[in-house]
């Protein structure tokens, strides 16, 4: 496994990020590359806070634990019990686009979903995936929604 040629995938628990994770896993296997799953906690991560009890004011530890749980759920949806070899999981603090662009410095590929949990549904591409496509230090694969349909040859 070529450790310096990792594939980085941004995961936020959304359907788009699960689809990106699934595709990144297939690419990592094909290229014999380690897969780095990165989840980002921004300073005002309302989505994660919405998964905590209403009466609580989330601490950094609670937000991190919730992020880890959402990543584990995404990993289960994407791979079931067949996790790619060399998979790592990291929760980083900071704006997701900035963190993922920084993570792209030592990656051969950055994989992100076309949209995440936030933003406006009418947008073709979310702000994080757009920023990654514009500023990453490696090629970026922006993955659309998984329609669940079988495609010829795929």
């Amino acid at each position: 496994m070529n450790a310096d040629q990792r594939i980085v995938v941004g995961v936020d628990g959304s359907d788009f990020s699960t689809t990106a994770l699934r595709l990144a896993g297939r690419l990592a296997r094909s290229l014999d590359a380690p897969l780095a799953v990165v989840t980002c906690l921004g300073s005002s991560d309302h989505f994660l806070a919405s998964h905590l009890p209403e009466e609580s004011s989330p601490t950094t530890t609670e937000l991190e634990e919730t992020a880890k749980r959402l990543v584990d759920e995404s990993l289960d949806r994407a791979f079931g019990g067949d996790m790619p070899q060399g998979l790592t999981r990291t929760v980083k603090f900071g704006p997701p686009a900035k963190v993922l662009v920084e993570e792209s410095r030592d990656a051969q590929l950055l994989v992100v979903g076309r949209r995440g949990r936030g933003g406006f549904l009418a947008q073709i591409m979310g702000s994080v995936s757009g920023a990654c496509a514009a500023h990453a230090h490696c090629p970026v694969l922006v993955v659309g929604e998984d329609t669940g349909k079988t495609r010829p040859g795929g």
Side-chain angles (χ1 to χ4, degrees):
M1 194 160 287
N2 193 354
D4 64 338
Q5 289 297 305
R6 68 191 184 133
I7 294 175
V8 175
V9 58
V11 175
D12 67 358
S14 68
D15 289 339
F16 281 104
S17 74
T18 299
T19 303
L21 178 57
R22 190 175 297 119
L23 182 57
R26 283 188 295 211
L27 290 168
R29 282 185 177 121
S30 296
L31 297 170
D32 194 28
L35 180 62
V37 178
V38 178
T39 301
C40 305
L41 293 176
S43 57
S44 62
D45 203 319
H46 302 291
F47 172 72
L48 288 175
S50 72
H51 280 70
L52 296 170
E54 288 182 31
E55 64 279 355
S56 72
S57 177
T59 65
T60 301
T61 302
E62 289 172 318
L63 287 173
E64 186 173 8
E65 287 171 3
T66 302
K68 287 178 182 176
R69 180 178 52 81
L70 291 172
V71 169
D72 287 343
E73 290 170 4
S74 292
L75 287 166
D76 189 51
R77 284 192 307 272
F79 305 118
D82 189 25
M83 299 285 178
Q85 184 180 12
L87 182 140
T88 60
R89 302 169 224 189
T90 307
V91 176
K92 300 263 184 166
F93 291 88
K98 183 177 180 181
V99 169
L100 291 171
V101 167
E102 185 60 33
E103 288 292 315
S104 75
R105 286 188 184 277
D106 61 350
Q108 66 172 315
L109 181 67
L110 173 61
V111 183
V112 293
R114 181 173 63 86
R115 297 199 69 261
R117 292 259 185 206
F120 300 99
L121 293 176
Q123 289 180 323
I124 292 175
M125 189 181 315
S127 59
V128 173
S129 54
C132 288
H135 302 289
H137 302 279
C138 66
V140 177
L141 177 59
V142 179
V143 180
E145 190 173 21
D146 184 4
T147 61
K149 297 177 185 172
T150 304
R151 295 181 201 131

